[in-house]
Amino acid sequence: MRNNIITIMKKELKRVFLDRKLAFAVFIMPGLTIAVIYSLMGGMVDKLGKDTVQYVPVVHTINAPDEFLQAAQEMYGPGITVVMGMPAESEELKAKVMEGDADMLLVFEDDFMNRTSGGLPSVDSYMNSTRDYSVRAEYMITGVLDSLKMGILAQRLGGMEGAAVFETNKKDLADSGEKAGKAIGMLLPMLLTIFLFAGAMQVGMDTIAGEKERGTIATMLMTPVKRGHIAMGKMLSLAIISLVSCLSSIAGIIISLPFSNTIFGGGFELSDLAYKASDFALMILQTAAMALSFVSMICLISSLARNIKEAGGFIAPAYMVVMVMSMSTMFMRPEAGWSYFIPVYGNILCIKDILIFDYAPLHGIYSLLSTLAFSGLMAWLMVRAFYSERIMKSA
Amino acid sequence: MVEVKNISKTFRLGKKQMALDGAKSKFRTAVRNVSFNAFPGEIYGLLGPNGAGKTTTLRCISTLIKPDEGEIIVEGINAGTDSREVRKRLCLLTNDLKTDPNFTADYLFRFFGRLHGMAQSDISARREILFDAFGIKEFANVKTSDMSSGMKQKLSIAISLVHDPRVVIFDEPTNGLDIITARSVTDYLKELRDNGRTVIISTHIMTVAEKLCDRLGLIMEGRIAAEGTPGGILEMTGAKDLDDAFFDIYRKSKEVPDEE
């Protein structure tokens, strides 16, 4: 029995590994594409950030008091350009901000400083939130206005000491490893899930539906091998293929990390990720369980389809569901333990928990049990499909 | 030996198939109460027009599908209850059986040998015999995707025969083959018969039936309308040749009212 499954697995693996084009598409291409795309994306995000920080915003003002100009000069020096304007130019300057020709407009009430002693004068600020430079200008000007406010308060209360009520000292107690884990734990489980499914899908559609379409599966069905063993051989080989394909994608991410660090939250080094061997073992276990559930599902769909095109159509909604599940774990981490019973979703949550150093063994058991039950059900249905004359009639 | 006892098979048609066939019912009975025996050392031919039920009968014998009624015994084993044991003893070859385009002839031959539970040495011995008989040696290491359709057909035949089955079933054995390949196939079928194998073929070509088959079952609209040796059928109908005999029986079968 075992020999037959292994014989079929070897054939399926040989088909993919020895076909240069297919092997390149399944094992090299994903990693290569990800490494290039993430490096480029990381580079662009970095460049954008640096550009914005180095940019000298142009802020137009109307009726700006000298104290404001002085505060801006003290805070940013040549890092900001403040242009004085006339009230009549107000509409023209607003239009400039809208068009992106100016970054911000500040309209102070007439005789602003004198009014601060008796009333509550206003400053109207105009910016364009769709433009990064305008957002940067607003951030800087908020600081300048705060400084101006403090200056006025100090005058009222007779010195800066009187204006200060308390001071805050922020200290981040998280260690660098945990910070790195949080950063990587946000995106990696989602990426891992999608890559795993994509790897299985690419070959999975062909492994059964393709054989039905080409008429090659009937030759196998004519052997004395149990149909269940044929199904199992195909499923297990696909699990190996999807795992290797997923590893390629992960390698792509690791290669790109020096350039794509910003995408993952930034501020950490690979050496900060201090996972233990047991963490890696648990991650591999959860990933393998997830791979099994994907391939069993894809194999079932592939068995039910008459050809590759139909299989593609059937698999697409399943892919969407998996994508939604994986994306939801980026921002949510449910408290309820039963969430870990949801096949696939539980595995993704566990991988995230391992990455952020917050793994609960009981949750791991829940997720593995549910995934195994789900995979078992899918495999059982697939074997039933292999015995069905209606489903296999095209064979 | 193969004993086919009163088998019937009905298929449920899809909407597309119903429209294609112009059928009013969702169900189509492909085979009705078909019975015949095929003995070791003979070639039994199922002769009939397209859609008569030949392929369905052969697929039932081969255990690819199960008859709704009736029983099939292959070498003393009930195909309905022990299909795997039956598959160890027979092979089916049809034009629908294709070879995987990603592998060489040699790999596929050995792969199917292993699936039949054969030892490596036995596979090699069979390889020598069959690759020689069908002239496969020259392209043994060529991927099937690079082979001509004749080469692929030869390889399919060799793969089907890897386990040296006692019962050989060929659905339209010469269909789509060039004249030389067709001849090598029919010669090999005769050789199998002479070696005591039970050979069952289906065909709609009269000359193939006449030259190759020891006994014939004329199948029409899912029923065996006549059975006997080619000479016996000619005698029974009084026709000059099998072609005329076939049409004579076909006309008479149309006159028999449907039992259902």
Side-chain angles (χ1 to χ4, degrees):
Chain A
M1 167 207 150
R2 209 176 53 196
N3 280 349
N4 288 334
I5 295 178
I6 291 171
T7 305
I8 291 163
M9 279 176 73
K10 275 185 187 169
K11 183 209 163 211
E12 294 298 322
L13 292 174
K14 191 178 161 102
R15 185 169 70 89
V16 179
F17 280 95
L18 293 189
D19 183 330
R20 278 185 203 164
K21 281 183 192 166
L22 191 58
F24 182 78
V26 177
F27 304 125
I28 310 290
M29 196 71 155
L32 200 65
T33 313
I34 285 161
V36 171
I37 289 175
Y38 276 69
S39 298
L40 285 174
M41 275 169 61
M44 283 191 285
V45 171
D46 269 350
K47 190 173 176 296
L48 188 68
K50 279 178 194 158
D51 268 6
T52 311
V53 171
Q54 285 167 359
Y55 176 75
V56 177
V58 178
V59 178
H60 290 267
T61 60
I62 292 171
N63 299 330
D66 291 343
E67 288 81 351
F68 170 80
L69 301 173
Q70 199 182 332
Q73 189 60 38
E74 277 171 12
M75 277 187 84
Y76 295 107
I80 191 164
T81 306
V82 180
V83 182
M84 307 286 280
M86 302 301 291
E89 294 172 311
S90 170
E91 289 309 312
E92 186 192 336
L93 290 170
K94 279 184 205 169
K96 273 189 169 182
V97 172
M98 265 184 76
E99 295 300 320
D101 296 333
D103 300 312
M104 199 170 178
L105 168 66
L106 282 178
V107 182
F108 291 81
E109 263 192 39
D110 200 18
D111 199 18
F112 183 83
M113 288 308 284
N114 286 334
R115 287 186 183 213
T116 56
S117 54
L120 197 63
S122 64
V123 185
D124 296 331
S125 70
Y126 301 90
M127 53 87 71
N128 184 342
S129 63
T130 61
R131 295 184 186 272
D132 292 333
Y133 294 149
S134 185
V135 172
R136 171 75 183 155
E138 192 210 14
Y139 170 78
M140 292 167 83
I141 288 300
T142 306
V144 175
L145 288 175
D146 281 346
S147 169
L148 180 65
K149 213 182 279 175
M150 284 298 287
I152 296 167
L153 273 174
Q155 264 183 357
R156 278 188 196 168
L157 300 168
M160 283 305 279
E161 296 79 17
V165 182
F166 60 84
E167 60 181 20
T168 53
N169 299 306
K170 184 181 163 188
K171 292 211 169 38
D172 187 356
L173 295 176
D175 71 31
S176 56
E178 281 181 12
K179 275 199 259 183
K182 188 171 183 292
I184 206 107
M186 185 168 173
L187 263 181
L188 193 62
M190 189 260 300
L191 294 175
L192 190 80
T193 310
I194 291 173
F195 296 153
L196 203 59
F197 195 95
M201 186 169 75
Q202 207 174 353
V203 182
M205 288 191 291
D206 185 68
T207 198
I208 301 173
E211 286 224 38
K212 279 168 85 174
E213 190 175 344
R214 290 190 296 271
T216 51
I217 205 162
T219 318
M220 219 183 277
L221 298 180
M222 272 310 297
T223 65
V225 178
K226 280 185 181 174
R227 292 187 176 190
H229 293 173
I230 299 174
M232 283 299 132
K234 285 184 172 287
M235 200 178 95
L236 293 175
S237 58
L238 187 59
I240 294 172
I241 291 164
S242 70
L243 279 172
V244 177
S245 170
C246 180
L247 278 179
S248 155
S249 305
I250 301 293
I253 293 176
I254 292 169
I255 292 167
S256 75
L257 267 181
F259 314 101
S260 63
N261 190 317
T262 330
I263 303 172
F264 290 95
F268 70 90
E269 297 294 328
L270 270 181
S271 54
D272 291 338
L273 295 166
Y275 297 116
K276 288 178 283 188
S278 57
D279 293 328
F280 284 110
L282 284 169
M283 263 191 277
I284 291 169
L285 190 67
Q286 290 289 348
T287 309
M290 196 155 64
L292 202 63
S293 59
F294 286 162
V295 296
S296 59
M297 183 164 63
I298 289 168
C299 282
L300 171 64
I301 292 171
S302 189
S303 307
L304 298 175
R306 281 172 298 183
N307 49 46
I308 296 176
K309 195 176 163 192
E310 201 172 89
F314 290 166
I315 288 173
Y319 194 22
M320 295 294 164
V321 171
V322 168
M323 277 179 81
V324 169
M325 271 188 187
S326 61
M327 281 176 180
S328 72
T329 61
M330 282 175 72
F331 311 105
M332 290 192 300
R333 205 166 149 243
E335 292 292 319
W338 61 261
S339 308
Y340 290 82
F341 272 114
I342 302 170
V344 178
Y345 186 62
N347 300 118
I348 308 170
L349 287 176
C350 278
I351 292 169
K352 186 183 174 103
D353 291 350
I354 297 165
L355 288 169
I356 62 172
F357 303 97
D358 194 19
Y359 177 71
L362 198 64
H363 288 165
I365 293 168
Y366 289 170
S367 65
L368 288 176
L369 284 178
S370 72
T371 304
L372 285 178
F374 175 76
S375 307
L377 176 69
M378 293 290 115
W380 180 75
L381 289 171
M382 179 180 58
V383 172
R384 299 272 301 168
F386 262 71
Y387 279 103
S388 162
E389 277 178 21
R390 272 198 88 182
I391 292 167
M392 284 291 155
K393 70 181 172 193
S394 53
Chain B
M1 179 180 174
V2 175
E3 299 161 70
V4 178
K5 300 176 183 176
N6 293 316
I7 64 160
S8 297
K9 181 75 184 174
T10 300
F11 292 106
R12 193 190 163 102
L13 302 178
K15 278 183 189 166
K16 212 187 244 178
Q17 192 63 46
M18 280 177 74
L20 272 173
D21 293 359
K24 285 176 186 165
S25 166
K26 275 187 197 169
F27 300 97
R28 188 178 69 196
T29 302
V31 170
R32 300 162 201 257
N33 295 318
V34 165
S35 296
F36 65 88
N37 290 335
F39 299 98
E42 77 165 0
I43 297 177
Y44 186 92
L46 279 175
L47 180 66
N50 289 339
K54 305 184 297 287
T55 300
T56 302
T57 306
L58 297 188
R59 285 169 80 93
C60 285
I61 299 170
S62 313
T63 75
L64 269 179
I65 54 174
K66 276 188 180 176
D68 303 324
E69 287 169 33
E71 197 176 49
I72 296 166
I73 310 290
V74 177
E75 298 286 301
I77 298 161
N78 190 321
T81 55
D82 207 349
S83 59
R84 286 179 60 216
E85 282 304 312
V86 166
R87 285 203 291 274
K88 284 180 188 170
R89 289 161 175 80
L90 61 72
C91 77
L92 166 72
L93 198 93
T94 77
N95 283 327
D96 297 336
L97 294 185
K98 302 283 185 337
T99 48
D100 199 317
N102 303 295
F103 296 101
T104 64
D106 194 51
Y107 179 85
L108 285 174
F109 189 82
R110 289 182 186 282
F111 170 72
F112 281 101
R114 283 195 292 276
L115 289 188
H116 278 282
M118 294 168 72
Q120 212 49 253
S121 55
D122 294 337
I123 297 173
S124 297
R126 285 294 290 165
R127 181 188 178 279
E128 278 301 303
I129 296 166
L130 293 168
F131 277 29
D132 219 25
F134 293 107
I136 299 173
K137 275 186 175 166
E138 300 92 76
F139 56 89
N141 292 312
V142 174
K143 270 190 180 181
T144 59
S145 55
D146 298 329
M147 289 181 191
S148 68
S149 52
M151 285 166 156
K152 285 180 196 166
Q153 188 75 349
K154 284 177 185 177
L155 176 62
S156 292
I157 296 167
I159 285 171
S160 301
L161 294 167
V162 61
H163 57 304
D164 196 11
R166 302 289 308 163
V167 176
V168 177
I169 298 167
F170 272 54
D171 190 8
E172 306 279 2
T174 56
N175 246 18
L177 296 182
D178 64 78
I179 192 161
I180 296 164
T181 313
R183 185 57 181 259
S184 69
V185 169
T186 52
D187 284 351
Y188 195 75
L189 287 177
K190 285 176 188 168
E191 201 181 313
L192 287 169
R193 173 192 59 194
D194 297 343
N195 288 332
R197 303 290 186 266
T198 306
V199 181
I200 303 173
I201 67 160
S202 75
T203 185
H204 62 274
I205 305 166
M206 302 296 166
T207 48
V208 171
E210 206 162 8
K211 284 183 181 171
L212 198 60
C213 300
D214 300 301
R215 281 194 309 128
L216 288 170
L218 268 60
I219 188 164
M220 283 158 195
E221 293 181 352
R223 290 192 180 88
I224 295 278
E227 194 184 32
T229 61
I233 288 173
L234 289 182
E235 207 173 298
M236 186 172 75
T237 53
K240 318 187 284 247
D241 54 34
L242 209 52
D243 214 25
D244 287 347
F246 177 84
F247 281 103
D248 185 44
I249 294 164
Y250 181 71
R251 267 193 301 274
K252 280 179 185 162
S253 76
K254 285 280 182 192
E255 289 161 15
V256 176
D258 204 321
E259 288 161 23
E260 286 169 28

